[in-house]
Structures are given as structure tokens and as C-alpha cells.
Amino acid sequence: MQEFLFYIKLGLNHVLDFGAYDHILFLSALAVPFTFKSWKRVLILATIFTVAHCTSLALSVYEAVTVDVGLIEFLIPVTILLTALFNFAYVFKEALDVGLFLHVLATAFFGLIHGFGFSNYFKMLMAEEEDKITPLLGFATGIELSQVTIILAILTLAFVVLDVLKVKRPVFIAVTSILVIAITIPLLIATFPM
């Protein structure tokens, strides 16, 4: 049980680490188009992200897949940028049909990329572990709990901005997405493969 709790804490810290804010940015971009009325949809997307993230960790831990770390470090901010850009489909929803299927596919793919970004460190941690399932499940639990925390914070922010301050939803989505993009651009530059 102690080991399971250790990995839950590791999953929590992995996502909520302000020093490595890529997860927070990604989840912010993912949750911005949603409100408490559509909380199930964003929770489904976050859970799909968690499952994909942990799938890539498992593929790495069991040495089924190896990836170029430099490329993955660049692709992580690319996923944030693409998610923030995708939000403009919600801004111009009359012109674009925002289907859940595309959102699910993109979120799963992005979860795989983010998982591979952490896989080398996670693999080192588990090098001596015989049981690899318990740590993976603990880590997944920590990731999911922290993601729900971030999503609740973003949905609360959306409630305050949209319902209390009466800002129009497309304006909120656009401004927040532009802010995420502005924060992401230096990450793209810093990790660009040379």
C-alpha cells in the first residue's frame, strides 16, 4: 500500500508541478471551451488523456517502444499549441462542427506524447520493481486526481468569467487560448530540435 501511495503522490506532483507546467497548460487549453454544464465531456477527455499517458509509460517500462526524447520534448508544447488552436473551433462554432470524436482522438494521441515525455524517468524509478502494474495504477490515479483538480479550477474560472462577470463565451475562449499560446511559444523555441 505504501508503494501505491508513493506513486499516487508522484502522479499528483508530476501534473501539479509549477516548474514543469506543460500539463497545467495542456489541461487549461483542453478545459477552456467547457463549462460546468458540460463537465462530463471534459472529464471524459481528461480520462482518455490519463489512459493514453499511462499506456505510453507502460509501453516504455516494458520496453515495447523507445522514442527520441528530444523529439518528444518538442512535441509536448506542439500538443499544447494545437489544443489551444483547436479551441477556436468553439469560438467559430457556427462555421465549424466541433465533434467529440476528433477531440477524443487528438487528446489520446497527445496523452501518448506526454507519457513518453516522462517515460525515461519513470522507467528509471521502476528499474528494480518486479511488479510494474501497481506503480502504473498508482501513478495513473495521481494523474487523474490532479487533472480533475486543474479542470475544476478552470471550470470555476469559466463560471466566474462567464456567469458572474458576463463575458461572452467566445471572447473568454479566445483570450484564454491566446494566453496559453503566448506561454507555449517560448517552450516551442526552447525545445526545437536542432
Side-chain angles (χ1 to χ4, degrees), residues 39-61:
W39 67 269
K40 288 179 186 174
R41 189 171 180 179
V42 71
L43 186 61
I44 288 168
L45 291 172
T47 301
I48 288 168
F49 181 85
T50 300
V51 169
H53 190 287
C54 291
T55 299
S56 57
L57 285 177
L59 290 170
S60 177
V61 165

Side-chain angles (χ1 to χ4, degrees), residues 18 20-26 28-29 77 80-81 84 175-191:
F18 287 110
Y21 51 88
D22 58 310
H23 271 287
I24 296 169
L25 273 179
F26 177 79
S28 297
I80 299 165
L81 176 70
V175 168
T176 309
S177 297
I178 289 168
L179 181 62
V180 168
I181 291 167
I183 295 169
T184 303
I185 289 172
L187 291 173
L188 285 166
I189 294 167
T191 59

Side-chain angles (χ1 to χ4, degrees), residues 1-9 134-135 137-139 141:
M1 186 62 167
Q2 197 70 6
E3 178 185 37
F4 188 72
L5 291 175
F6 168 80
Y7 282 101
I8 288 176
K9 186 177 177 185
T134 301
L137 290 175
F139 190 72
T141 302

Side-chain angles (χ1 to χ4, degrees), residues 12-192:
L12 283 166
N13 292 337
H14 173 62
V15 174
L16 296 175
D17 179 5
F18 287 110
Y21 51 88
D22 58 310
H23 271 287
I24 296 169
L25 273 179
F26 177 79
L27 290 166
S28 297
L30 186 70
V32 158
F34 301 99
T35 63
F36 279 115
K37 292 176 192 162
S38 56
W39 67 269
K40 288 179 186 174
R41 189 171 180 179
V42 71
L43 186 61
I44 288 168
L45 291 172
T47 301
I48 288 168
F49 181 85
T50 300
V51 169
H53 190 287
C54 291
T55 299
S56 57
L57 285 177
L59 290 170
S60 177
V61 165
Y62 287 107
E63 298 181 354
V65 176
T66 55
V67 294
D68 177 354
V69 176
L71 178 61
I72 293 297
E73 289 302 316
F74 173 68
L75 289 176
I76 288 172
V78 168
T79 66
I80 299 165
L81 176 70
L82 291 175
T83 303
L85 289 172
F86 185 75
N87 289 343
F88 287 94
Y90 289 94
V91 172
F92 303 109
K93 69 180 178 185
E94 291 80 27
L96 300 168
D97 180 28
V98 183
L100 185 60
F101 182 72
L102 177 62
H103 219 155
V104 165
L105 283 179
T107 301
F109 181 67
F110 296 168
L112 287 171
I113 291 170
H114 282 252
F116 281 124
F118 192 67
S119 64
N120 284 342
Y121 177 73
F122 196 74
K123 194 160 58 168
M124 272 185 355
L125 273 179
M126 294 185 53
E128 302 299 318
E129 301 281 347
E130 286 185 33
D131 172 24
K132 297 189 186 317
I133 299 297
T134 301
L136 282 167
L137 290 175
F139 190 72
T141 302
I143 287 176
E144 190 68 7
L145 290 171
S146 58
Q147 289 186 159
V148 167
T149 301
I150 292 167
I151 288 168
L152 283 173
I154 297 299
L155 293 179
T156 302
L157 174 67
F159 172 77
V160 170
V161 171
L162 299 173
D163 295 341
V164 176
L165 300 176
K166 303 294 184 197
V167 172
K168 301 258 185 239
R169 184 171 177 257
V171 172
F172 171 69
I173 295 169
V175 168
T176 309
S177 297
I178 289 168
L179 181 62
V180 168
I181 291 167
I183 295 169
T184 303
I185 289 172
L187 291 173
L188 285 166
I189 294 167
T191 59
F192 189 80

